[in-house]
Every structure is written in C-alpha cells, then in structure tokens.
Amino acid sequence: MSEQLKVKTMQEFMAEGKQPEILFWVGSAGSFDDRAKKISRAFVKLLNKADVDFAVLGTEESSTGDVAKRAGNEFLFQMQAMMNIEVLNGYEIKRIVTCDPHSFNTLKNEYPSLGGNYDVVHHTQYLKELIDNGRLTITGDGYKGKRITFHDPCYLGRANSVFDAPRELLAKTNAELVEMKRHKKTALCCGAGGAQMFKEPEKGDMDVNVLRTKGALETNPNIIATGCPYCNTMMTDGIKAHEKEDSVTVLDVAEVLANSQGL
Amino acid sequence: MEYLPNIIFAVALIAGIGFFVRNVKKLTRNIKLGRDVDVSDNKAQRWKNMAKIALGQTKMVVRPIAGIMHVIVYVGFIIINIEVLEIILDGLFGTHRLFSPLGPVYDLLIGSFEILALLVIVAVVVFWIRRNIIRIQRFIKPEMKGWPKTDGNMILYIEFVLMVLFLTMNAADFQLQQLGAEHYKQAGAFPVSQFIVPLLDGLSESSLILVERTAWWLHILGILAFLNYLYYSKHLHILLAFPNTYYGKIKPQGQFNNLESVTKEVKLMMDPDADPYAAPAEDSTAEPEKFGASDVMDLNWVQLLNAYTCTECGRCTAECPANQTGKKLSPRKIMMDTRDRLEEVGKIMDANKGEFFSDGKQLLNDYITPEELWACTTCNACVQACPVSIDPLSIIVEMRRYLVMEQSAAPTELNNMMSNIENNGAPWPYNQMDRLNWVNE
C-alpha cells in the first residue's frame, strides 16, 4: 500500500454535522479502472496538499448514466440521474468536482432539468482555481525540457469550451507545451466517446485512437497529457500500437502536477 | 403590340415567382411534419448567431480558400440583386437602365457589379476545378455520386452562364451607347465588359440590339429558373442558412436533450406511492409516444430544416473521426438521407391529397443503417465543422434511442454494459460496495 490519502465520505461529514467545500465525483472509471484509479489518487494528493475539505460519496455514488444516454438508453440514464440527484440533494451538495469530462458534462448540463442543480467544475478548472487563490503552489522545474502535448477530451473541450485551464496547469510545470495540428475546437476524438469505450469499433481501415495518437506523436512529445480517464486509456493503447511505449508516457494533467511536486 | 414584351415579362415574372411560392409552401409543409420543439428562447443570442454565422460567414472562412471564394460568390449574389431589381422594373415598364439618373453613383454601381461578376466567374471556375480536376476528398465520397455530383456542377454552370450573360449584355449596351443608338442612353461604367466589346466589332446596330436583348432576356429568365431550381437542389442553403442558424443549437454542444416522455415514466417507476394497478392516465386513447426516431416524422422540425439546409459541402464528414478511419458513418450522408426520405414522404402526400400512407419504408434501415449509427463517437466534430449550424449528431442520437428503447437492438457489448449499470451502478461488473477501494490501493 502506498502513502495514505485523506479521503472522507459525505456520510462522515454528515455525522460530524459539517459540509465539505466540494464533492469529488470520482466516477465509475476513477473508482474501478486500474489506470484511472491512479488519476483519482493523484488528484486527491493535490487536494490534500492544498488542504481542501472535500468529500466523496463512496459506496453511495453510482454511474451518472452518461454512457447509457450516449448509447441511446434514455430510460437507464434518467433512472441513474434521478437516483444520484436524490442522494446529492439529500446531502445538499452545492459544488461538484470531477476528473471525468463525461460526468462533468452530464452533471453540469443534463442533470439540471431533472432537478439536479450544482456548480460543476472539471478538476483542471478546480486545480487552477486553487493555484490562483494561492492555496496550491506548484514549484520546481521537474518537467523543464520535457515536451508535453495536450489532447483535448471532446466532452471537456468542444462540448463545454474548457480549453485553457488544462494548458495553464501544464505550463506551471515549466514544460514545453506543443500543440497537435488538430487541437481545441478541432481536436480529434480519442475514439472512446458515445459508448465506443464499451464495444468493438465498426469495420474500418484503422482505429480512431491510433489515428489520434499518430497526430500526437507528430509533435514529438515526451508526454501526452489529457484530462479524461477514457482518453487516457485510448491514447495509452495508441502509443502501444505505434510501439512508442518506451519513449512516450500518457498522463492526466493532475498526474503531471502531482509528479512535478513529488507527491 | 407595343406592350407585348412588357406583358411577356410580367407573365414570366409571375409564373416564376408563383412556382417558387408553391415550392416554398411544400417545403414548409414537409418541415412541419417534424415534431414540435421549443426554440423561442434566447432571441438575442439567436439573432447574433444568424448575423455572425449566416450573414457574416464566420464559419466558412475556417477553410480559407473555399471560404474566401464563397464570400465572393455570396457578395456577388447579394449585390447583383440591385441590378436584378433594375432589370425587373425595366422589364415591367419598358424602360432602359431606369436607375441611370443616379449618375456617378450609377457608374460606380454598374462598375462594381462588373468586377464582382468577374470575380464570381473566377471563383466558380476554381470551385469547378476543385470538384472535377483536383477532386478534393470530401467531394468524391460514396454519397456524392449521381445527382449530388451533377447538382453541384449544375449550380456552377448556371452561375457561370448568368455572369457571362450579364457581361455580354453590358458589352453590347456599351457599344450601342457609343454608336448613339436610340433608347441606349450613355450610362454606367464597364471596367470588365469593355474587353468583350472587340468581340462584337463589325456588328450592325440591329445585331447589337439583338445581342443585348437576348442576353438581357436570358439573364432574367435564367435567374427566375435558378430561383425555382433551388427547391430541387442543395443550393437551397442560400435561403435556409438564415433560419437554420437562427434555430441552431445554443446550448453547450455536449448537452443532449432529456426526453420528457421518459422522465414521466421514470418518475412514476421511482415513486414509492404510485399505484401499479392504477387506471392509465386520462389521455390513454392517444397513441403512446414513440421513443427515439425511426422515420423523419419522429424527428423535430429543426432537424428537418437542417436536412433541407445542408449543402453537402462535406466539412462534417471530413472532420468525422469515424469517417476518417474508414467507417461507414458520414454525417453528411445522414443529412442527405433525411432530406431524401422527407422528400419521398412529401411526394406520397402530394399523390394522396396531403395524406401520408405508409410505403413500407422508413429512414432507419432503408436509408441509414445501424452500422452507421453505432460508429458515432458523439464527439461533435461534425457539429463544430458545419458552416450553417446543422446538427447531424442529434439525428444519430434519436435513432440510437429508437434502436435501444423500442427495438432492444443495441450491440451485445453495449447491452452488457447497460445491464452492468442497472445491476452494479457501473458499466463494469464490479460491486458498488467496492467503489472506495481506490483510496487504499
């Protein structure tokens, strides 16, 4: 077991009669996927460092239903949404932070008309806020001389116009940021969205993640950074397809920051 | 007999506009076959979008060559309408160059029309080369064979001919003015057509008049014909781009609508006080609403307007990750299929006094296959790329909804994923009680 993280559940806060500053919505990937769990841990390390009073739902959290909705199962989506809203409203949650752009998008945009109104931010936005408020300081040149290219997750970037926060965070590490030909509004999908993560792709010449990774590799990076657990998986697989796993690493922005601080 | 040309002109004008109005009515009827959707919100934002995207062409210039050429043709089209107004008035009243008393302003107007006409010719030639010689990828995709290809070229030919007629008319006019022919008063500046004049050298006054009149008549009749060609063509975008950008999506691209009919049922299901044996609601005679879309009538009218607005430029398809990796999905084809099917439904209604009888066909399967629908990553690249705010993704999602909720026809892996969510609250078969294990790993 690695270093102990300080993570409290909403139930614990409730028992103490307190409210946390934010709720960290871990998401299904962040809870169960081995690679994505590391992103959750890296983000929590940063929260701990900044001394943020945050809570998770723990076993009371359930799938947002986002992936069911994109697959066309509106029933399942709304059942999940309403169950989650009941829990969130029960705890009087105001502010939610998540590392998963898909959870971010659906909680922010699709939950309100079903009765769930929260201030939802992506973890890159929240980390930037902590830095801007002076609660979190990023020091050192651990990444100086490293080339990082940021892959925009569709549901963070194009879908919700969050382009700057992740880039500004990466810049804090003094790494050299390089842009892919297709970035920001014209970024190419990693291939996982719209429930593709959970099925074999349709017949074609190539898989989407291989094409996207090709674009990333053209920038000759040391690190491909992203802000989505699904993008992370797809890009990691893409690196393997191009046999570059020895020279290029795929990391979440939170991991880059945590690593740079030796957390 | 003196008024014969005026009468013929009036008849042509009325027939041309009348036929156009008839087609516009048909168009409106077809679009209204779609489900109702509330787009009365955010008027200020909507007007702004229309001004920026349709009038200002901001999304066209994302691709600079095509964009700038398009702006030229577009400006040429708008400005030349002032000339068309003069032609119409001249035609009705038997006058010639009615606006010429404007003097230097008139010279400036005619001069700039000529320059624009020349620029339009250049642009049209470039467009033709891109389509037929360079064969740019997005113009030779499978859905662009046959009529869509012919239609694309036809528009270029018509525009080319109209501009050549305009310049020929001016050249003959200019020559007649210099000869001091009766009726052809000195007016206008001819910076471009003066170079055509040498070609008319040696023609008698009456031959020149014949050339001038022929060009004049063909020009205006051509414009009326072109107006009526619109309905049958992708060129309809010159009109529909405006309402389409006004009614286009103003929410974040990632936000999909929540189906209200589903909300009602889910609330009932989750309500512990609901009586499962209660009598059905009062309007139980009404046909239960279909979930999702299998045919054009299940889509909303903005989606149908989208289909008529699509000009098949293929920027959506060129940006689509599925299409780029050789999968069958092409967002442009989704729009073209929707329009084709809607036209087919319209024709059935025309043949049956406005009533629709099933022809055993529908949009799903007969036009769009599930394979195309399941290849979509819902990344919104197509929506972003569209220069006129068309949303092919919303149609794909509606059709997936039909496949999943009405037909239970999702790919097996997705069914597994969905039953995992139902049973474990996660798309993977893990226990909800293990959700916090990551903290201590």
Side-chain angles (χ1 to χ4, degrees):
Chain A
M1 194 163 73
S2 50
E3 173 203 357
Q4 195 64 45
L5 302 178
K6 281 182 278 172
V7 180
K8 269 164 65 176
T9 61
M10 258 330 284
Q11 229 168 5
E12 290 167 314
F13 270 94
M14 188 83 152
E16 293 170 19
K18 288 200 294 197
Q19 268 288 339
E21 285 178 64
I22 54 159
L23 174 82
F24 172 30
W25 183 275
V26 187
S28 297
S31 306
F32 291 122
D33 180 89
D34 283 336
R35 177 66 187 87
K37 283 192 235 177
K38 292 186 182 151
I39 302 171
S40 307
R41 292 182 59 89
F43 179 55
V44 167
K45 284 177 193 168
L46 291 164
L47 292 178
N48 285 166
K49 179 172 155 55
D51 221 2
V52 176
D53 219 12
F54 74 95
V56 296
L57 285 175
T59 55
E60 289 183 278
E61 190 185 290
S62 186
S63 161
T64 56
D66 159 80
V67 63
K69 188 179 183 83
R70 313 295 134 181
N73 197 336
E74 183 73 7
F75 262 104
L76 182 52
F77 163 71
Q78 292 202 12
M79 294 220 297
Q80 289 296 123
M82 285 188 206
M83 284 189 321
N84 286 324
I85 288 169
E86 221 164 274
V87 175
L88 291 166
N89 289 355
Y91 283 124
E92 294 177 14
I93 301 294
K94 303 276 181 299
R95 197 149 197 240
I96 301 177
V97 181
T98 177
C99 302
D100 174 6
H102 296 268
S103 296
F104 166 71
N105 175 69
T106 195
L107 289 167
K108 181 175 189 284
N109 297 319
E110 292 162 352
Y111 274 40
S113 79
L114 299 172
N117 290 289
Y118 322 102
D119 172 17
V120 187
V121 291
H122 187 244
H123 70 306
T124 57
Q125 293 175 306
Y126 189 67
L127 288 171
K128 184 175 176 294
E129 198 182 298
L130 291 176
I131 293 172
D132 290 348
N133 293 341
R135 295 177 65 184
L136 180 65
T137 37
I138 300 298
T139 52
D141 286 337
Y143 279 90
K144 201 169 172 114
K146 297 274 187 211
R147 287 166 70 85
I148 303 185
T149 190
F150 179 68
H151 160 77
D152 289 279
C154 302
Y155 275 86
L156 182 66
R158 197 160 37 232
N160 287 291
S161 300
V162 179
F163 300 111
D164 298 335
R167 288 178 168 79
E168 282 170 35
L169 292 180
L170 291 170
K172 296 274 179 215
T173 67
N174 290 314
E176 185 191 349
L177 286 188
V178 280
E179 292 290 359
M180 288 180 238
K181 210 159 138 199
R182 292 185 63 171
H183 63 282
K184 295 191 176 171
K185 278 195 167 159
T186 56
L188 184 77
C189 181
C190 71
Q196 300 294 339
M197 180 79 188
F198 301 94
K199 62 185 259 300
E200 285 301 312
E202 272 58 35
K203 237 180 32 238
D205 317 321
M206 196 199 277
D207 286 344
V208 175
N209 63 331
V210 177
L211 181 64
R212 181 51 170 170
T213 316
K214 188 168 165 266
L217 291 175
E218 279 163 11
T219 68
N220 205 13
N222 303 104
I223 293 160
I224 299 172
T226 187
C228 169
Y230 300 103
C231 293
N232 196 307
T233 303
M234 297 308 265
M235 299 305 277
T236 305
D237 288 350
I239 294 290
K240 285 179 194 146
H242 289 281
E243 296 177 350
K244 289 279 185 200
E245 61 265 47
D246 294 333
S247 55
V248 185
T249 331
V250 181
L251 290 174
D252 190 89
V253 175
E255 292 177 307
V256 174
L257 279 197
N259 290 350
S260 79
Q261 302 309 296
L263 294 174
Chain B
M1 284 306 274
E2 197 192 335
Y3 294 111
L4 191 61
N6 309 40
I7 293 166
I8 295 176
F9 184 84
V11 169
L13 190 68
I14 291 165
I17 292 174
F19 198 64
F20 176 69
V21 169
R22 197 192 77 133
N23 276 339
V24 168
K25 278 188 184 151
K26 204 183 278 181
L27 185 72
T28 332
R29 179 203 65 188
N30 289 357
I31 289 173
K32 281 186 178 159
L33 289 176
R35 287 182 184 174
D36 202 15
V37 54
D38 184 18
V39 273
S40 58
D41 56 334
N42 291 291
K43 290 205 169 61
Q45 181 63 43
R46 291 179 182 282
W47 282 110
K48 214 173 105 192
N49 285 354
M50 186 168 95
K52 250 175 43 189
I53 304 169
L55 200 64
Q57 310 248 317
T58 43
K59 291 184 88 177
M60 275 308 294
V61 289
V62 171
R63 288 174 185 242
I65 299 177
I68 290 163
M69 293 284 151
H70 185 269
V71 169
I72 290 173
V73 176
Y74 165 70
V75 172
F77 166 77
I78 290 184
I79 302 218
I80 225 130
N81 280 318
I82 305 174
E83 172 69 15
V84 171
L85 180 68
E86 188 189 41
I87 289 182
I88 288 175
L89 294 176
D90 278 346
L92 287 174
F93 304 125
T95 49
H96 187 69
R97 296 201 177 264
L98 186 65
F99 297 162
S100 59
L102 293 172
V105 177
Y106 189 73
D107 293 352
L108 187 76
L109 280 177
I110 298 295
S112 54
F113 296 161
E114 287 220 332
I115 291 166
L116 268 171
L118 179 67
L119 288 174
V120 169
I121 289 177
V122 171
V124 162
V125 170
V126 173
F127 282 150
W128 189 88
I129 292 172
R130 283 161 60 89
R131 272 178 188 268
N132 298 285
I133 296 182
I134 306 177
R135 290 165 61 80
I136 288 178
Q137 263 289 314
R138 60 193 160 101
F139 297 130
I140 52 170
K141 296 266 170 187
E143 67 267 24
M144 292 310 286
K145 296 203 175 79
W147 171 247
K149 180 180 192 298
T150 316
D151 183 27
N153 280 327
M154 195 97 101
I155 293 157
L156 297 178
Y157 299 143
I158 298 174
E159 282 172 358
F160 182 84
V161 169
L162 286 177
M163 291 303 110
V164 168
L165 285 169
F166 173 69
L167 291 173
T168 312
M169 173 184 95
N170 276 357
D173 199 303
F174 183 40
Q175 183 78 327
L176 284 162
Q177 288 180 21
Q178 285 178 328
L179 290 175
E182 194 196 343
H183 203 62
Y184 290 91
K185 50 194 161 202
Q186 294 270 350
F190 304 97
V192 177
S193 64
Q194 58 174 318
F195 296 105
I196 307 177
V197 171
L199 299 174
L200 304 172
D201 248 2
L203 289 186
S204 65
E205 192 179 301
S206 56
S207 311
L208 278 172
I209 293 178
L210 187 69
V211 171
E212 192 276 332
R213 282 293 87 189
T214 309
W216 187 93
W217 274 100
L218 288 178
H219 181 65
I220 188 65
L221 291 178
I223 286 172
L224 287 175
F226 199 27
L227 179 71
N228 281 292
Y229 178 69
L230 293 186
Y231 178 77
Y232 305 95
S233 158
K234 75 192 187 80
H235 213 49
L236 204 44
H237 80 282
I238 64 166
L239 301 174
L240 296 188
F242 294 89
N244 202 71
T245 47
Y246 180 87
Y247 293 119
K249 188 170 182 173
I250 48 172
K251 298 182 180 114
Q253 282 181 4
Q255 179 176 346
F256 294 5
N257 65 333
N258 291 327
L259 285 184
E260 271 172 51
S261 48
V262 171
T263 312
K264 256 186 282 171
E265 303 225 0
V266 171
K267 278 197 173 140
L268 207 64
M269 256 190 289
M270 292 182 64
D271 179 7
D273 303 326
D275 173 7
Y277 304 108
E282 58 285 352
D283 58 347
S284 61
T285 46
E287 207 181 317
E289 201 180 338
K290 190 155 136 188
F291 296 119
S294 62
D295 209 347
V296 285
M297 298 77 98
D298 309 324
L299 296 169
N300 70 48
W301 66 263
V302 174
Q303 290 167 319
L304 300 184
L305 173 66
N306 278 185
Y308 273 118
T309 308
C310 176
T311 196
E312 302 166 12
C313 71
R315 292 186 184 199
C316 52
T317 294
E319 295 289 315
C320 173
N323 195 277
Q324 282 189 352
T325 51
K327 288 153 190 91
K328 275 212 178 108
L329 175 64
S330 161
R332 167 174 57 190
K333 180 178 170 290
I334 300 286
M335 300 319 299
M336 292 167 72
D337 286 342
T338 304
R339 176 176 176 165
D340 288 350
R341 173 60 185 160
L342 185 53
E343 273 294 285
E344 191 175 58
V345 167
K347 283 199 185 107
I348 294 169
M349 293 178 71
D350 288 339
N352 295 293
K353 297 185 184 128
E355 232 185 299
F356 177 69
F357 295 102
S358 171
D359 56 345
K361 288 210 268 178
Q362 56 174 3
L363 186 59
L364 182 67
N365 297 323
D366 294 306
Y367 285 84
I368 300 171
T369 60
E371 183 182 342
E372 293 163 65
L373 297 172
W374 289 118
C376 175
T377 68
T378 71
C379 76
N380 267 301
C382 56
V383 182
Q384 180 66 40
C386 182
V388 289
S389 309
I390 291 171
D391 185 356
L393 174 55
S394 69
I395 297 180
I396 294 172
V397 171
E398 281 305 332
M399 295 183 77
R400 279 188 179 184
R401 284 172 174 170
Y402 178 83
L403 283 172
V404 171
M405 292 191 286
E406 295 279 348
Q407 298 202 311
S408 307
T412 321
E413 304 130 296
L414 290 189
N415 280 332
N416 292 340
M417 176 272 287
M418 291 187 284
S419 59
N420 284 331
I421 292 181
E422 258 184 88
N423 299 326
N424 315 314
W428 297 283
Y430 297 121
N431 193 322
Q432 189 156 0
M433 287 304 120
D434 293 335
R435 264 202 181 252
L436 210 46
N437 292 1
W438 60 272
V439 175
N440 297 314
E441 280 175 10

